[in-house]
Coordinates of all heavy atoms in Angstrom, one line a residue:
M9 N 39.9 197.7 -37.6 CA 38.5 197.5 -38.0 C 38.4 197.4 -39.5 O 39.2 198.0 -40.2 CB 37.7 198.6 -37.4 CG 36.2 198.5 -37.7 SD 35.6 197.1 -36.8 CE 33.9 197.2 -37.2
F10 N 37.4 196.8 -40.0 CA 37.2 196.6 -41.4 C 35.9 197.3 -41.9 O 35.0 197.3 -41.1 CB 37.2 195.1 -41.8 CG 38.5 194.5 -41.7 CD1 38.9 193.9 -40.5 CD2 39.4 194.4 -42.8 CE1 40.2 193.3 -40.4 CE2 40.6 193.8 -42.7 CZ 41.0 193.3 -41.5
L11 N 35.9 197.7 -43.1 CA 34.7 198.3 -43.7 C 34.1 197.3 -44.6 O 34.8 196.8 -45.6 CB 35.1 199.6 -44.5 CG 33.9 200.2 -45.3 CD1 32.8 200.6 -44.4 CD2 34.5 201.4 -46.1
H12 N 32.9 196.9 -44.3 CA 32.2 195.9 -45.1 C 31.6 196.6 -46.4 O 30.8 197.5 -46.3 CB 31.1 195.2 -44.3 CG 30.3 194.2 -45.1 ND1 29.1 194.4 -45.6 CD2 30.7 192.9 -45.4 CE1 28.7 193.3 -46.2 NE2 29.6 192.4 -46.1
L13 N 32.0 196.1 -47.6 CA 31.6 196.7 -48.8 C 30.5 196.0 -49.5 O 30.0 196.4 -50.5 CB 32.8 196.7 -49.8 CG 34.0 197.5 -49.4 CD1 35.1 197.3 -50.4 CD2 33.7 198.9 -49.2
G14 N 30.0 194.9 -48.9 CA 28.9 194.1 -49.4 C 29.3 192.8 -49.9 O 30.5 192.6 -50.3
D15 N 28.4 191.8 -49.9 CA 28.7 190.5 -50.4 C 29.9 189.8 -49.8 O 30.6 189.0 -50.5 CB 28.8 190.5 -52.0 CG 28.5 189.2 -52.6 OD1 27.7 188.4 -52.0 OD2 28.9 188.9 -53.7
G16 N 30.1 190.1 -48.5 CA 31.2 189.5 -47.8 C 32.6 190.1 -48.0 O 33.6 189.6 -47.4
Y17 N 32.7 191.1 -48.8 CA 34.0 191.8 -49.0 C 34.3 192.9 -48.0 O 33.4 193.7 -47.7 CB 34.1 192.3 -50.4 CG 34.0 191.3 -51.5 CD1 32.8 191.1 -52.2 CD2 35.0 190.5 -51.8 CE1 32.7 190.1 -53.2 CE2 35.0 189.5 -52.7 CZ 33.8 189.3 -53.5 OH 33.7 188.4 -54.4
M18 N 35.5 192.9 -47.5 CA 35.9 193.9 -46.5 C 37.3 194.4 -46.8 O 38.1 193.7 -47.4 CB 35.8 193.3 -45.1 CG 34.5 192.9 -44.7 SD 34.5 192.2 -43.0 CE 34.9 190.6 -43.3
I19 N 37.5 195.7 -46.4 CA 38.8 196.3 -46.5 C 39.1 197.0 -45.2 O 38.2 197.3 -44.5 CB 38.9 197.3 -47.7 CG1 38.0 198.5 -47.5 CG2 38.7 196.6 -49.0 CD1 38.2 199.6 -48.5
P20 N 40.4 197.1 -44.8 CA 40.7 197.8 -43.6 C 40.2 199.3 -43.6 O 40.5 200.0 -44.6 CB 42.3 197.8 -43.6 CG 42.6 196.6 -44.4 CD 41.6 196.6 -45.5
S21 N 39.5 199.7 -42.6 CA 39.0 201.1 -42.5 C 40.1 202.1 -42.6 O 39.9 203.2 -43.2 CB 38.2 201.2 -41.3 OG 37.1 200.4 -41.2
K22 N 41.2 201.8 -42.1 CA 42.3 202.8 -42.0 C 42.8 203.1 -43.4 O 43.5 204.1 -43.6 CB 43.4 202.4 -41.1 CG 44.2 201.2 -41.5 CD 45.2 200.8 -40.5 CE 46.0 199.5 -41.0 NZ 47.0 199.1 -40.0
E23 N 42.6 202.3 -44.4 CA 43.0 202.5 -45.8 C 42.1 203.4 -46.6 O 42.5 203.9 -47.7 CB 43.2 201.2 -46.5 CG 44.3 200.3 -46.0 CD 44.5 199.1 -46.8 OE1 43.8 198.9 -47.8 OE2 45.3 198.2 -46.3
V24 N 40.9 203.7 -46.1 CA 39.9 204.5 -46.8 C 40.4 206.0 -46.9 O 40.6 206.6 -45.9 CB 38.5 204.4 -46.1 CG1 37.5 205.4 -46.8 CG2 38.0 203.0 -46.2
V25 N 40.4 206.5 -48.1 CA 40.8 207.9 -48.4 C 39.5 208.7 -48.7 O 39.3 209.8 -48.2 CB 41.8 208.0 -49.5 CG1 42.0 209.5 -49.9 CG2 43.1 207.3 -49.2
L26 N 38.6 208.1 -49.4 CA 37.4 208.8 -49.9 C 36.3 207.7 -50.1 O 36.6 206.7 -50.7 CB 37.7 209.5 -51.2 CG 36.5 210.2 -51.9 CD1 36.1 211.5 -51.1 CD2 36.9 210.5 -53.3
I27 N 35.1 208.1 -49.8 CA 33.9 207.3 -50.1 C 33.0 208.2 -51.0 O 32.7 209.4 -50.6 CB 33.1 206.8 -48.9 CG1 34.0 205.9 -48.1 CG2 31.8 206.2 -49.3 CD1 33.4 205.5 -46.7
G28 N 32.6 207.8 -52.2 CA 31.9 208.6 -53.0 C 30.7 208.0 -53.6 O 30.6 206.7 -53.8
N29 N 29.7 208.8 -54.0 CA 28.5 208.3 -54.7 C 28.9 208.2 -56.2 O 29.2 209.2 -56.8 CB 27.3 209.3 -54.5 CG 26.1 209.0 -55.2 OD1 26.1 208.8 -56.4 ND2 25.0 208.9 -54.5
L30 N 28.8 207.1 -56.7 CA 29.2 206.8 -58.1 C 28.4 207.7 -59.1 O 29.0 208.2 -60.0 CB 29.1 205.3 -58.4 CG 29.9 204.9 -59.6 CD1 31.4 205.2 -59.5 CD2 29.7 203.4 -59.9
E31 N 27.1 207.7 -58.9 CA 26.3 208.5 -59.9 C 26.6 210.0 -59.9 O 26.8 210.5 -61.0 CB 24.8 208.3 -59.6 CG 23.9 208.9 -60.6 CD 22.4 208.7 -60.3 OE1 22.1 207.6 -59.8 OE2 21.6 209.6 -60.6
S32 N 26.7 210.6 -58.8 CA 26.9 212.0 -58.7 C 28.4 212.4 -59.1 O 28.6 213.5 -59.7 CB 26.6 212.6 -57.4 OG 27.4 212.1 -56.4
T33 N 29.3 211.6 -58.8 CA 30.7 211.9 -59.1 C 31.1 211.7 -60.6 O 31.9 212.3 -61.1 CB 31.7 211.2 -58.2 OG1 31.5 209.8 -58.3 CG2 31.6 211.7 -56.8
T34 N 30.4 210.7 -61.2 CA 30.8 210.4 -62.6 C 30.1 211.3 -63.6 O 30.3 211.2 -64.8 CB 30.5 208.9 -62.9 OG1 29.1 208.6 -62.7 CG2 31.4 208.0 -62.2
S35 N 29.3 212.3 -63.1 CA 28.8 213.3 -64.0 C 29.8 214.3 -64.4 O 29.6 215.0 -65.4 CB 27.6 214.0 -63.4 OG 28.0 214.7 -62.2
S36 N 30.9 214.3 -63.7 CA 32.0 215.2 -64.1 C 32.9 214.6 -65.1 O 33.3 213.4 -65.0 CB 32.9 215.5 -62.8 OG 34.2 216.0 -63.2
E37 N 33.2 215.3 -66.2 CA 34.0 214.8 -67.2 C 35.4 214.3 -66.7 O 35.9 213.3 -67.1 CB 34.2 215.8 -68.3 CG 34.7 215.3 -69.6 CD 34.7 216.3 -70.7 OE1 33.7 217.0 -70.9 OE2 35.7 216.5 -71.4
I38 N 36.0 215.1 -65.9 CA 37.3 214.8 -65.3 C 37.3 213.5 -64.5 O 38.1 212.6 -64.6 CB 37.9 216.0 -64.5 CG1 38.2 217.2 -65.4 CG2 39.1 215.5 -63.7 CD1 38.5 218.4 -64.7
T39 N 36.3 213.4 -63.7 CA 36.1 212.2 -62.8 C 35.9 211.0 -63.7 O 36.4 209.9 -63.4 CB 35.0 212.4 -61.8 OG1 35.3 213.6 -61.0 CG2 35.0 211.2 -60.8
E40 N 35.0 211.1 -64.7 CA 34.7 210.0 -65.6 C 36.0 209.5 -66.3 O 36.3 208.3 -66.4 CB 33.7 210.4 -66.6 CG 33.2 209.3 -67.5 CD 32.0 209.7 -68.4 OE1 31.3 210.7 -68.1 OE2 31.9 209.0 -69.4
E41 N 36.8 210.5 -66.7 CA 38.1 210.1 -67.4 C 39.0 209.4 -66.4 O 39.7 208.4 -66.7 CB 38.8 211.4 -67.9 CG 40.1 211.1 -68.6 CD 40.7 212.3 -69.2 OE1 40.1 213.4 -69.2 OE2 41.9 212.2 -69.6
F42 N 39.1 209.9 -65.1 CA 39.9 209.3 -64.1 C 39.5 207.8 -63.9 O 40.3 206.9 -63.8 CB 39.8 210.1 -62.8 CG 40.4 209.4 -61.6 CD1 41.8 209.3 -61.4 CD2 39.6 208.8 -60.6 CE1 42.3 208.7 -60.3 CE2 40.1 208.2 -59.5 CZ 41.5 208.1 -59.4
M43 N 38.1 207.6 -63.8 CA 37.6 206.3 -63.6 C 37.9 205.3 -64.7 O 38.3 204.2 -64.6 CB 36.1 206.3 -63.3 CG 35.8 207.0 -62.0 SD 36.4 206.2 -60.5 CE 35.1 205.0 -60.3
E44 N 37.8 205.9 -66.0 CA 38.1 205.1 -67.2 C 39.6 204.6 -67.2 O 39.9 203.5 -67.4 CB 37.8 205.8 -68.4 CG 36.3 205.9 -68.7 CD 36.0 206.8 -69.9 OE1 36.9 207.1 -70.7 OE2 34.8 207.2 -70.1
I45 N 40.5 205.6 -66.9 CA 41.9 205.3 -66.9 C 42.2 204.3 -65.8 O 43.0 203.3 -66.0 CB 42.7 206.6 -66.8 CG1 42.6 207.4 -68.0 CG2 44.2 206.2 -66.4 CD1 43.2 208.8 -67.9
S46 N 41.6 204.5 -64.6 CA 41.8 203.6 -63.5 C 41.4 202.2 -63.8 O 42.1 201.2 -63.5 CB 41.1 204.1 -62.2 OG 41.6 205.3 -61.8
D47 N 40.3 202.1 -64.5 CA 39.8 200.8 -64.9 C 40.7 200.1 -65.9 O 41.1 198.9 -65.8 CB 38.4 200.9 -65.5 CG 37.7 199.6 -65.8 OD1 38.0 198.6 -65.0 OD2 37.0 199.5 -66.8
E48 N 41.2 200.9 -66.9 CA 42.1 200.4 -67.9 C 43.4 199.9 -67.3 O 44.0 198.9 -67.7 CB 42.4 201.4 -69.0 CG 41.3 201.7 -69.9 CD 41.5 203.0 -70.7 OE1 42.6 203.6 -70.7 OE2 40.6 203.4 -71.5
E49 N 43.9 200.6 -66.2 CA 45.1 200.3 -65.6 C 45.0 199.2 -64.5 O 45.9 198.7 -63.9 CB 45.7 201.5 -64.9 CG 46.1 202.6 -65.9 CD 47.3 202.2 -66.7 OE1 48.2 201.5 -66.3 OE2 47.3 202.7 -67.9
G50 N 43.7 198.7 -64.3 CA 43.5 197.6 -63.4 C 43.4 198.0 -61.9 O 43.6 197.2 -61.0
F51 N 43.1 199.3 -61.6 CA 43.0 199.8 -60.3 C 41.6 199.7 -59.7 O 41.4 200.0 -58.5 CB 43.5 201.2 -60.2 CG 45.0 201.4 -60.5 CD1 45.4 202.1 -61.6 CD2 45.9 200.8 -59.7 CE1 46.7 202.3 -61.9 CE2 47.3 201.0 -59.9 CZ 47.7 201.7 -61.0
I52 N 40.6 199.3 -60.5 CA 39.3 199.2 -60.0 C 38.9 197.7 -59.7 O 39.2 196.8 -60.5 CB 38.3 199.8 -61.0 CG1 38.5 201.3 -61.1 CG2 36.8 199.5 -60.5 CD1 37.6 202.0 -62.0
V53 N 38.4 197.5 -58.5 CA 37.9 196.2 -58.1 C 36.4 196.3 -57.9 O 36.0 197.1 -57.1 CB 38.6 195.7 -56.8 CG1 38.0 194.3 -56.4 CG2 40.1 195.6 -57.0
D54 N 35.6 195.5 -58.6 CA 34.2 195.6 -58.6 C 33.6 194.6 -57.6 O 33.6 193.4 -57.9 CB 33.6 195.4 -60.0 CG 32.1 195.7 -60.1 OD1 31.5 195.9 -59.0 OD2 31.6 195.8 -61.2
Y55 N 33.2 195.0 -56.5 CA 32.5 194.2 -55.5 C 31.0 194.4 -55.5 O 30.3 194.1 -54.6 CB 33.0 194.4 -54.1 CG 34.4 193.9 -53.8 CD1 35.2 194.5 -52.9 CD2 34.9 192.9 -54.5 CE1 36.5 194.1 -52.6 CE2 36.2 192.4 -54.3 CZ 37.0 193.0 -53.3 OH 38.3 192.5 -53.0
S56 N 30.5 195.1 -56.6 CA 29.1 195.5 -56.6 C 28.1 194.5 -57.2 O 26.9 194.7 -57.2 CB 29.0 196.8 -57.4 OG 29.1 196.5 -58.8
G57 N 28.7 193.4 -57.7 CA 27.8 192.4 -58.4 C 27.2 193.0 -59.6 O 26.1 192.6 -60.0
G58 N 27.8 193.9 -60.3 CA 27.3 194.5 -61.5 C 26.3 195.7 -61.3 O 25.8 196.2 -62.2
N59 N 26.1 196.1 -60.0 CA 25.2 197.2 -59.7 C 25.9 198.2 -58.8 O 25.5 198.3 -57.6 CB 23.9 196.6 -59.0 CG 22.9 197.6 -58.8 OD1 22.8 198.6 -59.5 ND2 22.1 197.4 -57.8
P60 N 26.9 198.9 -59.3 CA 27.6 199.8 -58.4 C 26.8 201.1 -58.0 O 26.2 201.7 -58.9 CB 28.9 200.2 -59.2 CG 28.4 200.0 -60.6 CD 27.4 198.9 -60.6
R61 N 26.9 201.4 -56.7 CA 26.2 202.6 -56.3 C 27.2 203.6 -55.7 O 27.0 204.8 -55.6 CB 25.2 202.2 -55.2 CG 24.0 201.4 -55.7 CD 23.0 201.1 -54.7 NE 22.4 202.2 -54.2 CZ 21.7 202.3 -53.0 NH1 21.6 201.2 -52.3 NH2 21.2 203.4 -52.6
S62 N 28.4 203.0 -55.2 CA 29.4 203.9 -54.6 C 30.7 203.4 -54.9 O 30.9 202.3 -55.5 CB 29.2 203.9 -53.1 OG 29.3 202.6 -52.6
F63 N 31.7 204.2 -54.5 CA 33.1 203.7 -54.7 C 33.9 204.1 -53.4 O 33.6 205.1 -52.8 CB 33.8 204.3 -56.0 CG 34.0 205.7 -55.9 CD1 35.2 206.3 -55.5 CD2 33.0 206.6 -56.4 CE1 35.4 207.7 -55.5 CE2 33.2 208.0 -56.4 CZ 34.4 208.5 -55.9
V64 N 34.9 203.3 -53.1 CA 35.8 203.6 -52.0 C 37.2 203.7 -52.5 O 37.7 202.7 -53.1 CB 35.7 202.5 -50.9 CG1 36.6 202.8 -49.8 CG2 34.3 202.3 -50.4
L65 N 37.8 204.8 -52.4 CA 39.2 205.1 -52.8 C 40.1 204.8 -51.7 O 40.0 205.3 -50.6 CB 39.3 206.5 -53.3 CG 40.6 207.0 -53.8 CD1 41.0 206.3 -55.1 CD2 40.6 208.5 -54.0
T66 N 41.2 204.0 -52.0 CA 42.3 203.8 -51.1 C 43.5 204.3 -51.7 O 43.5 204.8 -52.9 CB 42.4 202.3 -50.7 OG1 42.8 201.6 -51.8 CG2 41.1 201.8 -50.1
G67 N 44.7 204.2 -51.1 CA 45.9 204.6 -51.7 C 46.3 203.9 -53.0 O 47.0 204.5 -53.8
E68 N 45.8 202.7 -53.2 CA 46.1 201.9 -54.4 C 45.0 201.4 -55.2 O 45.2 201.0 -56.4 CB 47.0 200.7 -53.9 CG 48.3 201.1 -53.2 CD 49.1 199.9 -52.8 OE1 48.7 198.8 -53.1 OE2 50.0 200.1 -52.1
T69 N 43.8 201.4 -54.7 CA 42.7 200.7 -55.4 C 41.4 201.6 -55.2 O 41.2 202.3 -54.3 CB 42.5 199.3 -54.7 OG1 43.7 198.6 -54.8 CG2 41.4 198.5 -55.5
I70 N 40.5 201.4 -56.2 CA 39.2 201.9 -56.1 C 38.2 200.7 -56.1 O 38.2 199.9 -57.0 CB 38.8 202.8 -57.4 CG1 39.8 204.0 -57.5 CG2 37.4 203.2 -57.3 CD1 39.7 204.7 -58.8
Y71 N 37.4 200.6 -55.0 CA 36.5 199.5 -54.9 C 35.1 200.0 -55.2 O 34.7 201.0 -54.7 CB 36.5 199.0 -53.4 CG 37.9 198.4 -53.0 CD1 38.8 199.2 -52.4 CD2 38.2 197.1 -53.3 CE1 40.0 198.7 -52.0 CE2 39.4 196.5 -53.0 CZ 40.3 197.3 -52.3 OH 41.5 196.8 -52.0
L72 N 34.4 199.3 -56.0 CA 33.0 199.6 -56.3 C 32.1 198.7 -55.4 O 32.4 197.5 -55.2 CB 32.7 199.3 -57.8 CG 33.5 200.0 -58.9 CD1 33.0 199.6 -60.2 CD2 33.4 201.5 -58.7
S73 N 31.1 199.3 -54.9 CA 30.2 198.7 -53.9 C 28.7 198.9 -54.3 O 28.4 200.0 -54.8 CB 30.4 199.2 -52.5 OG 29.5 198.6 -51.6
M74 N 27.9 197.9 -54.0 CA 26.5 198.1 -54.2 C 25.8 198.8 -53.1 O 24.6 199.1 -53.1 CB 25.8 196.7 -54.5 CG 25.5 195.9 -53.2 SD 27.0 195.0 -52.6 CE 27.1 193.7 -53.6
I75 N 26.5 199.0 -52.0 CA 26.0 199.7 -50.8 C 26.1 201.2 -51.1 O 27.1 201.7 -51.6 CB 26.8 199.3 -49.6 CG1 26.6 197.8 -49.4 CG2 26.3 200.1 -48.4 CD1 27.4 197.2 -48.3
S76 N 25.2 202.0 -50.6 CA 25.2 203.5 -50.8 C 26.4 204.1 -50.1 O 26.8 203.6 -49.1 CB 23.9 204.1 -50.3 OG 23.8 204.1 -48.9
S77 N 26.8 205.2 -50.6 CA 27.9 205.9 -50.0 C 27.6 206.4 -48.6 O 28.4 206.4 -47.7 CB 28.4 207.1 -50.9 OG 27.3 208.0 -51.1
K78 N 26.3 206.8 -48.4 CA 25.9 207.2 -47.1 C 26.0 206.1 -46.0 O 26.5 206.3 -44.9 CB 24.4 207.7 -47.2 CG 23.8 208.1 -45.8 CD 24.5 209.3 -45.2 CE 23.7 209.7 -44.0 NZ 24.6 210.1 -42.9
T79 N 25.6 204.9 -46.4 CA 25.7 203.8 -45.5 C 27.2 203.4 -45.2 O 27.5 203.2 -44.0 CB 25.0 202.5 -46.1 OG1 23.6 202.8 -46.2 CG2 25.1 201.3 -45.1
L80 N 28.0 203.5 -46.2 CA 29.4 203.2 -46.0 C 30.1 204.3 -45.1 O 30.8 203.9 -44.2 CB 30.2 203.1 -47.3 CG 29.8 202.0 -48.2 CD1 30.5 202.1 -49.6 CD2 30.2 200.6 -47.6
E81 N 29.7 205.5 -45.3 CA 30.2 206.6 -44.4 C 29.7 206.4 -43.0 O 30.5 206.6 -42.1 CB 29.7 208.0 -45.0 CG 30.4 208.4 -46.3 CD 29.8 209.6 -46.9 OE1 29.0 210.3 -46.2 OE2 30.0 209.9 -48.1
D82 N 28.5 206.0 -42.8 CA 28.0 205.8 -41.5 C 28.7 204.7 -40.8 O 29.0 204.8 -39.6 CB 26.5 205.4 -41.5 CG 25.6 206.6 -41.9 OD1 26.1 207.8 -41.8 OD2 24.4 206.4 -42.2
R83 N 29.1 203.7 -41.5 CA 29.9 202.6 -40.9 C 31.2 203.0 -40.5 O 31.7 202.6 -39.4 CB 30.0 201.4 -41.9 CG 28.7 200.7 -42.2 CD 28.9 199.6 -43.2 NE 27.6 199.0 -43.5 CZ 27.4 198.0 -44.3 NH1 28.4 197.5 -45.1 NH2 26.2 197.5 -44.5
V84 N 31.9 203.8 -41.3 CA 33.2 204.4 -40.9 C 33.1 205.3 -39.7 O 33.9 205.2 -38.8 CB 33.9 205.1 -42.1 CG1 35.2 205.8 -41.6 CG2 34.3 204.1 -43.2
D85 N 32.1 206.2 -39.7 CA 31.8 207.1 -38.6 C 31.6 206.4 -37.3 O 32.1 206.7 -36.3 CB 30.7 208.0 -38.9 CG 31.0 209.1 -40.0 OD1 32.2 209.3 -40.3 OD2 30.1 209.7 -40.5
K86 N 30.8 205.3 -37.4 CA 30.5 204.5 -36.2 C 31.7 203.9 -35.6 O 32.0 204.0 -34.4 CB 29.5 203.5 -36.5 CG 29.1 202.6 -35.3 CD 28.0 201.6 -35.7 CE 27.7 200.7 -34.5 NZ 26.8 199.6 -34.8
F87 N 32.6 203.4 -36.5 CA 33.8 202.8 -36.0 C 34.7 203.9 -35.3 O 35.3 203.7 -34.3 CB 34.6 202.1 -37.1 CG 36.0 201.8 -36.8 CD1 36.3 200.7 -36.0 CD2 37.0 202.6 -37.3 CE1 37.6 200.5 -35.7 CE2 38.4 202.3 -37.0 CZ 38.6 201.2 -36.2
T88 N 34.8 205.0 -36.0 CA 35.6 206.1 -35.5 C 35.2 206.6 -34.1 O 36.0 206.8 -33.2 CB 35.7 207.3 -36.5 OG1 36.1 206.8 -37.8 CG2 36.6 208.4 -36.1
E89 N 33.9 206.8 -34.0 CA 33.3 207.2 -32.7 C 33.5 206.2 -31.6 O 33.9 206.6 -30.5 CB 31.8 207.5 -32.8 CG 31.5 208.7 -33.7 CD 30.0 208.8 -33.9 OE1 29.2 208.0 -33.4 OE2 29.6 209.7 -34.7
E90 N 33.4 204.9 -31.9 CA 33.5 203.9 -30.9 C 34.9 203.7 -30.5 O 35.2 203.3 -29.3 CB 33.0 202.5 -31.5 CG 31.5 202.5 -31.6 CD 31.0 201.2 -32.3 OE1 31.9 200.4 -32.7 OE2 29.8 201.0 -32.4
N91 N 35.9 204.1 -31.3 CA 37.3 203.8 -31.0 C 38.1 205.1 -30.8 O 39.3 205.0 -30.8 CB 37.9 202.9 -32.1 CG 37.3 201.6 -32.1 OD1 37.5 200.8 -31.2 ND2 36.5 201.3 -33.1
G92 N 37.4 206.2 -30.7 CA 38.1 207.5 -30.5 C 39.0 207.9 -31.6 O 40.1 208.5 -31.4
G93 N 38.7 207.6 -32.8 CA 39.5 207.9 -34.0 C 40.3 206.7 -34.4 O 40.3 205.6 -33.8
Y94 N 41.2 206.9 -35.4 CA 42.1 205.8 -35.8 C 43.2 205.8 -34.9 O 44.2 205.6 -34.9 CB 42.5 206.0 -37.3 CG 41.3 205.8 -38.2 CD1 40.8 206.8 -38.9 CD2 40.8 204.5 -38.4 CE1 39.7 206.6 -39.8 CE2 39.7 204.3 -39.3 CZ 39.2 205.4 -40.0 OH 38.2 205.2 -40.9

């Protein structure tokens, strides 16, 4: 199953490590530094159309999405419930 991140972009649900609210997590100095370094190193892919609300962390990439973290979490939860887990 795939997680739709918005604007036609999808990633495999099984690769998702963490879904976070971008606004609340970037208020931490450590997290802000992590995101800056990740961006400099090319690990961030922006699928938000310039309006990021959430991020999805995988083993190799951080995806920015314009969809709220709650909605993304609900999509993963729905898939997990329908399929009895991964």
Side-chain angles (χ1 to χ4, degrees):
M9 183 67 178
F10 290 88
L11 174 61
H12 181 254
L13 299 175
D15 203 24
Y17 296 105
M18 295 181 277
I19 61 171
S21 297
K22 66 182 180 182
E23 292 183 8
V24 175
V25 174
L26 173 77
I27 297 173
N29 178 306
L30 195 59
E31 184 178 326
S32 65
T33 56
T34 55
S35 62
S36 162
E37 193 173 314
I38 293 170
T39 306
E40 189 174 336
E41 182 179 350
F42 170 74
M43 294 296 275
E44 286 176 13
I45 292 170
S46 297
D47 189 33
E48 290 170 4
E49 297 291 326
F51 293 116
I52 295 181
V53 177
D54 189 352
Y55 289 154
S56 73
N59 186 27
R61 296 179 64 198
S62 62
F63 67 93
V64 178
L65 177 68
T66 67
E68 298 179 8
T69 307
I70 300 170
Y71 297 94
L72 301 181
S73 174
M74 79 282 282
I75 298 172
S76 74
S77 58
K78 175 67 174 137
T79 298
L80 293 174
E81 289 172 15
D82 288 347
R83 290 177 181 180
V84 171
D85 289 345
K86 181 179 178 184
F87 167 74
T88 303
E89 289 173 7
E90 289 175 355
N91 295 291
Y94 290 110

